[in-house]
């Protein structure tokens, strides 16, 4: 995977949005693309920098969740000292590819569906939230590094809603097509490769959940 697609694209955009958008590769970047979901990985920002919003670490633990933008009138504090860093995702498929799961509080129905699908895939009793988090965490990062861990599988076996790498860029799998994702949103779809091995961004645990029928929210532009 060539990480230059993020750097080059962001550098070409005008303005300086805050560094709080998450890409399918799990990187946290400053792009104007709006998010359908928010979430967190703990306190990631420099608490001294205040409202400037400087992210100084990739994560602060194994709890990576995807939340609704609003819940019971709560408002998440952005860049506040001693408060988790609020992150945003273009859609749920992006969040899942980055390694997040549905929040058990504000997205209880989605969390229960994710958990049940994983249990069905495992043929075992449903895992607790912290057990799912530990399992996902081993699949997100290369051990003892901050590098995104990639996985491989046959193109024919990649479920809808998963992200892979094609031509050095993230693509969303949608039936017989793949839809490129960029920092400006989804691009024109192209034919999905029929043979060979795919380099996968979505962790194996979530791939199993997708195969069991969990349907993530996808931005309408990817469905056109």
């Amino acid at each position: 995977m060539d990480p230059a697609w993020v750097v080059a694209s962001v550098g070409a955009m005008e303005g300086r949005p805050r560094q709080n958008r998450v890409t399918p590769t799990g990187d946290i970047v400053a792009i104007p693309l709006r998010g359908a979901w928010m979430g967190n990985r703990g306190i990631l920002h420099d608490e001294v920098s205040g409202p400037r919003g400087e992210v100084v670490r990739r994560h602060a633990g194994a709890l990576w969740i995807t939340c609704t933008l609003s819940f019971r009138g709560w408002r998440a504090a952005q860049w506040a000292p001693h408060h988790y860093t609020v992150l945003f995702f273009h859609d749920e498929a992006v969040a899942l590819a980055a390694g997040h799961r549905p929040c058990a509080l504000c997205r209880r129905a989605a969390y229960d569906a994710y958990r049940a699908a994983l249990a069905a895939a495992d043929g075992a009793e449903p895992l607790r939230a912290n057990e799912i988090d530990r399992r996902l965490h081993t699949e997100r990062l290369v051990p003892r590094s901050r590098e995104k861990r990639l996985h491989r599988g046959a193109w024919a076996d990649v479920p809808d809603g998963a992200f892979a790498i094609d031509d050095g860029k993230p693509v969303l799998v949608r039936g017989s097509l793949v839809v490129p994702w960029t920092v400006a949103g989804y691009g024109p779809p192209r034919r999905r490769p029929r043979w060979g091995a795919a380099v996968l961004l979505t962790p194996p645990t979530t791939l199993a959940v997708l195969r069991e029928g969990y349907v993530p929210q996808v931005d309408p532009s990817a469905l056109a």
Side-chain angles (χ1 to χ4, degrees):
M1 179 180 63
D2 180 8
W5 71 272
V6 172
V7 177
S9 298
V10 172
M13 305 187 79
E14 296 181 359
R16 288 295 173 186
R18 300 292 179 83
Q19 187 184 0
N20 57 14
R21 271 37 172 200
V22 180
T23 73
T25 61
D27 295 308
I28 305 171
V29 297
I31 58 176
L33 192 65
R34 295 187 63 83
W37 305 93
M38 60 167 278
N40 81 83
R41 305 175 186 175
I43 301 173
L44 312 181
H45 58 281
D46 177 7
E47 298 187 83
V48 178
S49 67
R52 289 182 297 173
E54 296 180 5
V55 172
V56 295
R57 59 185 65 87
R58 187 184 183 95
H59 68 91
L63 177 65
W64 295 27
I65 56 176
T66 310
C67 303
T68 58
L69 296 178
S70 61
F71 180 66
R72 295 180 181 174
W74 296 354
R75 182 177 178 84
Q78 181 67 282
W79 313 116
H82 315 301
H83 190 277
Y84 69 82
T85 305
V86 178
L87 305 174
F88 294 95
F89 311 91
H90 184 43
D91 60 22
E92 189 181 12
V94 168
L96 293 176
H100 290 244
R101 64 156 174 86
C103 174
L105 176 61
C106 65
R107 301 189 60 208
R108 188 70 198 191
Y111 167 76
D112 287 343
Y114 184 102
R115 185 168 174 253
L118 181 57
D122 291 343
E125 291 297 313
L127 298 176
R128 295 189 297 271
N130 63 341
E131 293 173 323
I132 297 174
D133 293 337
R134 288 197 298 269
R135 176 165 161 175
L136 281 170
H137 205 55
T138 65
E139 300 172 355
R140 295 174 184 133
L141 303 175
V142 175
R144 297 179 296 278
S145 81
R146 298 180 180 180
E147 182 181 350
K148 168 78 171 178
R149 184 176 179 183
L150 303 176
H151 304 271
R152 291 186 178 273
W155 270 109
D157 295 334
V158 182
D160 278 14
F163 266 89
I165 295 293
D166 188 41
D167 194 26
K169 298 178 178 62
V171 293
L172 174 71
V173 174
R174 298 290 298 174
S176 62
L177 304 173
V178 293
V179 189
W181 186 92
T182 76
V183 295
Y186 286 102
R190 56 179 180 260
R191 182 67 62 180
R192 172 179 176 167
R194 295 184 179 181
W195 300 282
V199 178
L200 301 169
L201 292 171
T202 306
T205 290
T206 299
L207 291 174
V209 168
L210 295 175
R211 292 190 184 101
E212 287 295 326
Y214 183 91
V215 180
Q217 177 269 337
V218 174
D219 188 80
S221 63
L223 309 177

